[in-house]
Amino acid sequence: MSTQRRRFFARALGTAGALVLAGCDKLSRTDWFPKVLNVAEPVNNSIAKTVARMAMAEEFPESALSPSFRSNGTSDPGTDAYVALAQGQFATYKLVVDGLVENPLALTLADVRALPSREQITRHDCVEGWSAIARWKGARLSAILAAAKPKANARYVVFHCADPMNEDGTGFYYESIDFEDAYHEQTILAYDLNRAPLPIANGAPLRLRVERQLGYKQAKYLLRLELVESFAHIEGGNGGYWEDNGYQWFAGI
Ligand SMILES: Nc1nc2c(c(=O)[nH]1)N[C@H]1C(S)=C(S)[C@@H](COP(=O)(O)O)O[C@H]1N2
Ligand SMILES: [Mo]
């Protein structure tokens, strides 16, 4: 079992599973394990996805909702292009899905709202030391990927955002996740926050919710999803704006 796959399953199975998998080589000498492994091998992807889907981020009752959900990082991209989009109520907005896909997409907000969706009350944890519980509704990223048909070598989804991070208007915020998170049950492109259209301060018109990860992975102001085999060639090469500034790429909670 490759290190990557072992980590993958260990994470999906939790602490007990991690301990079992740490002893993976020893276990492979037992009667049952090789059989399980051999059966699993050809359909590894779908089994892995099923296992990973079982590990859910905690969801909360309505009574746990925070009184408000603050904004952090960019609160308005402020570019001419974004201002024009916002002034038109995002009627001309298109979410581009391209890169390693058979079927590139350009989805209007109405298209996105028509896709299979999910609503969830979750806690957002920012590394700067604040948390908040909110209700998010959005299109399942799995549904968008199903429509775009990833090519066999696609491994990551890169999220390109509308907000420049440098004063000269360059260095747009971006993030990336792997397919394990992309196909996760709770991974959505959110268009509603607490049952109202996503405010500009929180990433209008669409932002990522990848609930098992920290705040900086929750990319706001999405313009484009690019499927890639590697993110080494994008910006600083570490898979995200904050990652290029020293944060961990995998920000699991
Ligand atoms: N495009 C973009 N996405 C972003 C950021 C940003 O500055 N720009 N900040 C990140 C950080 S650090 C956090 S904690 C959350 C904040 O989301 P909020 O503004 O809805 O609270 O968005 C994340 N996604
Ligand atoms: Mo954050």
Side-chain angles (χ1 to χ4, degrees), residues 55-82:
M56 301 280 277
E58 185 174 1
E59 295 192 20
F60 297 83
E62 195 161 333
S63 59
L65 286 172
S66 301
S68 65
F69 195 87
R70 59 171 280 184
S71 173
N72 202 44
T74 304
S75 58
D76 185 342
T79 62
D80 291 349
Y82 185 85

Side-chain angles (χ1 to χ4, degrees), residues 2 15 53 55 58 70 75 77 103 123 126 145 160 171 179 207:
S2 74
T15 312
R53 279 203 186 104
E58 185 174 1
R70 59 171 280 184
S75 58
N103 193 20
R123 194 187 60 233
C126 171
L145 295 181
H160 295 281
F179 274 30
R207 69 102 50 89

Side-chain angles (χ1 to χ4, degrees), residues 98-142:
D98 64 3
L100 298 174
V101 295
E102 304 288 353
N103 193 20
L105 307 171
L107 305 171
T108 65
L109 222 40
D111 295 334
V112 174
R113 282 184 176 269
L115 288 168
S117 65
R118 192 173 199 279
E119 198 176 55
Q120 56 208 27
I121 299 179
T122 54
R123 194 187 60 233
H124 176 108
D125 295 304
C126 171
V127 289
E128 289 169 35
W130 61 275
S131 298
I133 295 176
R135 185 199 307 266
W136 303 97
K137 184 179 180 191
R140 292 170 185 268
L141 183 51
S142 59

Side-chain angles (χ1 to χ4, degrees), residues 8-49:
F8 182 104
F9 273 102
R11 186 139 44 85
L13 295 171
T15 312
L19 290 174
V20 169
L21 288 161
C24 191
D25 298 330
K26 210 183 300 160
L27 280 167
S28 66
R29 287 195 292 274
T30 67
D31 288 340
W32 62 272
F33 198 76
K35 285 191 203 110
V36 174
L37 204 60
N38 287 341
V39 173
E41 215 50 42
V43 283
N44 169 57
N45 238 10
S46 59
I47 287 183
K49 275 173 204 161

Side-chain angles (χ1 to χ4, degrees), residues 73-198:
T74 304
S75 58
D76 185 342
T79 62
D80 291 349
Y82 185 85
V83 168
L85 277 176
Q87 275 173 355
Q89 266 54 252
F90 300 101
T92 57
Y93 171 84
K94 291 268 176 68
L95 176 73
V96 170
V97 184
D98 64 3
L100 298 174
V101 295
E102 304 288 353
N103 193 20
L105 307 171
L107 305 171
T108 65
L109 222 40
D111 295 334
V112 174
R113 282 184 176 269
L115 288 168
S117 65
R118 192 173 199 279
E119 198 176 55
Q120 56 208 27
I121 299 179
T122 54
R123 194 187 60 233
H124 176 108
D125 295 304
C126 171
V127 289
E128 289 169 35
W130 61 275
S131 298
I133 295 176
R135 185 199 307 266
W136 303 97
K137 184 179 180 191
R140 292 170 185 268
L141 183 51
S142 59
I144 293 177
L145 295 181
K149 296 189 170 55
K151 293 187 176 171
N153 55 340
R155 291 193 57 199
Y156 303 97
V157 182
V158 179
F159 300 84
H160 295 281
C161 306
D163 51 324
M165 300 304 284
N166 303 329
E167 296 208 345
D168 66 357
T170 63
F172 288 86
Y173 199 96
Y174 78 106
E175 257 303 338
S176 60
I177 60 175
D178 61 16
F179 274 30
E180 179 194 346
D181 267 320
Y183 283 103
H184 188 271
E185 175 82 12
Q186 293 166 311
T187 300
I188 58 175
L189 302 190
Y191 40 70
D192 287 346
L193 167 57
N194 293 331
R195 297 206 159 139
L198 191 62

